[in-house]
Amino acid sequence: MTFSLKHERMIVGAVLLLTLVGRCLRLDQPILENYVGRQVPTAMVAKNLTRGSGFLYPQLDTSPAPNFFLVEPPIFAQLTAWVHELTSLEIGASGRLISALATTLAAWGIYRLARQREGPIVAIIALAAFACFPITIRYGRACQPEMLMLGLMIAGMALVDKPRSRMGVALGAILLASGLAVKVTACYVLIPTGLVLVADRPRWRWFAPVVVIPTGLWYLHAWQLINVPGGSLASLDNGSIWLQSLIPVAVFKLATLSNFARYLFIRAFTPVGFVLAAWGLFRMDRLFVIWGLSAVAMLGGLAAKAHHEYYWVALAPVAAVGIGRAIAQVSRWRPVAGVASLLVLIVFGLAQSRSTWATPVEWAAWREARTAIARFVPRDEPLIAPEALLYLADRHGCRLEIGREAQERAAREWGQRIVATDPIALIDFYRDHGAVYFADLLDPSDLRRTELHNSIRKRFIIWYDESGVLIAQLERP
């Protein structure tokens, strides 16, 4: 199968357009799907940037204040804030649009890299595969920075690989530096970049410092901010957790291996995609081989964190090229079988990712909860609620946690410790620190949450208790 350059460009343009448009469907959907604990803090930071918090001081709306979110520079949040100000889209919708654009940029970069090293047929198929992976659909429309990181890094690599001008190389270096700053976990991409794209160019000694220095400067600033007394200790606790996760003992745990298998074989790329990608790995260009090995090493090294599904976008570019190679080979033997394989992959990808366009059942009453909070909770009174509900209601308050470890970690952010044997332990802790109101939505599948709601009803004044929404004033009736 061959294409004229004109037809190839038309096909690539159409696939890129579909990649963008598909992820822009339901932009106004509340950011409550997938990993809420990553989307909501990002949206909080973006909202506070629009209110003048400052790029160097990204802040959350959870106590104790100030609570700085320093895990990465707020590049994604700043872009989201700018889109919000320019378009009047809500913060969540603006973040989704940034991710959709970034995914389209990543898809273009994969196409260009694969075309230069594997040929146009493999490149087009890889582009289509990347666009329909469940993981790139889920996080390609999420208000979080993973796809922006990937898009910038891949586009940077594409410009550096067989560059056409010095300007292209400079732009590629800027994109790589920006992608690394968006999320430092993108450092694995620097291995194939250095070993394959830069190693045989001795005049490019400037390349590594230019790419790495911006990220290093941010973490130097973050370290200084963490050590300023007062406010939340969340960043310090996050830093400790990250340092502990760098010791890859978790990779030997059965639960970790089970998660790895679930993401790799099923959720991230579909079973069909995994089989095709594994097939296409043989005799692949060494850029993609080294890229894949580097990504696997990163996932293994961060095994304690890799239960978060979004880390697995690291393997999506290599898997896409592997699928492109496999289907291209099948098409040479049986053209109908090749087309059928791609169609089956697309159907599986769309079917497995359909839930990303739906608000989870446990959040069905979020609008009612927001209205009730506005009605019963004075704006300046400290409120205990799930982080997502604080964001949706535009309130500052104390983050509700239900699990024992999560409750104890929330207390440590205040520089204190509790023993959370009872689901209400954190509520009592927050009361001692000035919290006056409580708001939550019932999740019938969560027994500890049900137990907590029952305890709240018995002990405190109930202002609203309908449709699974519970609002209480934390005083004895």
Side-chain angles (χ1 to χ4, degrees):
M1 185 185 299
T2 58
F3 299 107
S4 67
L5 185 58
K6 178 182 177 181
H7 288 156
E8 181 183 343
R9 288 175 175 172
M10 290 175 61
I11 293 170
V12 169
V15 176
L16 290 175
L17 181 62
L18 288 172
T19 301
L20 176 62
V21 171
R23 286 157 178 78
C24 289
L25 297 176
R26 291 208 61 198
L27 276 182
D28 60 345
Q29 178 186 341
I31 50 172
L32 297 170
E33 85 290 357
N34 299 324
Y35 191 62
V36 178
R38 194 65 177 85
Q39 294 196 77
V40 167
T42 305
M44 280 185 174
V45 170
K47 179 188 68 177
N48 288 322
L49 285 170
T50 66
R51 296 173 178 176
S53 65
F55 182 87
L56 295 177
Y57 303 94
Q59 294 191 41
L60 300 177
D61 292 332
T62 48
S63 297
N67 190 349
F68 297 118
F69 191 66
L70 303 173
V71 68
E72 71 240 349
I75 296 172
F76 181 93
Q78 184 65 77
L79 291 173
T80 299
W82 285 338
V83 170
H84 166 71
E85 292 168 343
L86 287 171
T87 66
S88 297
L89 288 171
E90 292 184 353
I91 291 290
S94 300
R96 291 191 189 281
L97 180 58
I98 293 294
S99 285
L101 291 167
T103 304
T104 307
L105 180 64
W108 170 83
I110 290 168
Y111 162 76
R112 177 162 171 168
L113 284 168
R115 193 185 194 285
Q116 291 175 163
R117 294 176 173 272
E118 300 284 357
I121 302 300
V122 171
I124 291 172
I125 299 170
L127 168 61
F130 181 82
C132 70
F133 284 152
I135 196 166
T136 61
I137 292 175
R138 292 188 193 104
Y139 298 101
R141 60 183 309 274
C143 186
Q144 60 187 82
E146 276 65 34
M147 294 310 296
L148 178 62
M149 171 270 288
L150 197 66
L152 292 172
M153 296 298 283
I154 296 174
M157 290 177 71
L159 291 174
V160 170
D161 186 27
K162 301 178 183 177
R164 298 174 183 175
S165 66
R166 291 182 179 180
M167 184 65 70
V169 174
L171 180 57
I174 292 170
L175 291 177
L176 284 164
S178 301
L180 184 64
V182 168
K183 281 199 67 120
V184 72
T185 50
C187 60
Y188 69 93
V189 178
L190 300 182
I191 298 174
T193 302
L195 294 180
V196 180
L197 305 185
V198 180
D200 59 349
R201 297 179 171 113
R203 294 183 180 179
W204 288 19
R205 294 174 183 173
W206 55 268
F207 201 90
V210 165
V211 170
V212 173
I213 284 175
T215 303
L217 290 174
W218 170 260
Y219 286 106
L220 179 61
H221 164 70
W223 177 250
Q224 293 174 336
L225 208 56
I226 285 174
N227 288 284
V228 173
S232 174
L233 299 178
S235 292
L236 189 62
D237 196 41
N238 283 333
S240 176
I241 291 171
W242 264 100
L243 287 175
Q244 292 175 19
S245 71
L246 294 177
I247 305 172
V249 294
V251 77
F252 302 107
K253 295 181 179 179
L254 183 60
T256 302
L257 295 175
S258 176
N259 259 337
F260 278 25
R262 177 168 165 260
Y263 290 147
L264 191 58
F265 302 153
I266 301 173
R267 279 189 60 85
F269 313 114
T270 79
V272 174
F274 172 78
V275 171
L276 290 170
W279 181 358
L281 288 176
F282 296 103
R283 298 184 181 178
M284 184 183 287
D285 184 273
R286 72 188 186 102
L287 172 68
F288 302 112
V289 172
I290 295 173
W291 191 344
L293 291 174
S294 302
V296 169
M298 182 275 291
L299 290 166
L302 294 177
K305 303 285 290 183
H307 60 283
H308 299 316
E309 184 185 29
Y310 51 78
Y311 281 97
W312 291 81
V313 300
L315 286 175
V318 179
V321 176
I323 289 170
R325 285 177 53 82
I327 292 180
Q329 187 173 351
V330 170
S331 297
R332 285 194 290 270
W333 300 336
R334 301 280 184 179
V336 174
V339 173
S341 299
L342 182 58
L343 290 176
V344 169
L345 177 67
I346 293 171
V347 170
F348 266 76
L350 294 175
Q352 286 189 206
S353 58
R354 65 186 183 280
S355 63
T356 195
W357 284 278
T359 299
V361 174
E362 60 268 24
W363 285 100
W366 72 270
R367 287 186 177 84
E368 186 173 345
R370 182 177 63 179
T371 301
I373 288 172
R375 178 181 176 189
F376 293 106
V377 181
R379 175 158 287 278
D380 58 349
E381 292 286 2
L383 170 67
I384 304 170
E387 191 173 41
L389 189 54
L390 289 173
Y391 168 74
L392 293 168
D394 195 16
R395 297 299 181 95
H396 192 284
C398 301
R399 187 180 77 248
L400 175 64
E401 297 289 356
I402 303 299
R404 177 172 177 171
E405 290 184 8
Q407 288 188 64
E408 294 175 353
R409 181 182 175 189
R412 289 200 304 271
E413 294 178 12
W414 297 71
Q416 299 180 33
R417 295 183 179 276
I418 62 172
V419 179
T421 53
D422 190 299
I424 208 166
L426 187 61
I427 306 301
D428 290 334
F429 175 83
Y430 285 149
R431 281 187 71 212
D432 293 340
H433 288 80
V436 180
Y437 286 87
F438 169 92
D440 193 23
L441 285 80
L442 178 64
D443 179 359
S445 65
D446 189 338
L447 297 181
R448 280 181 66 93
R449 188 170 239 107
T450 301
E451 183 181 347
L452 172 62
H453 284 208
N454 289 335
S455 297
I456 294 288
R457 292 185 182 100
K458 292 175 183 177
R459 296 175 59 176
F460 303 121
I461 298 172
I462 304 302
W463 285 111
Y464 191 86
D465 192 1
E466 297 179 21
S467 305
V469 178
L470 179 64
I471 297 180
Q473 186 175 352
L474 302 178
E475 295 180 1
R476 296 288 183 179

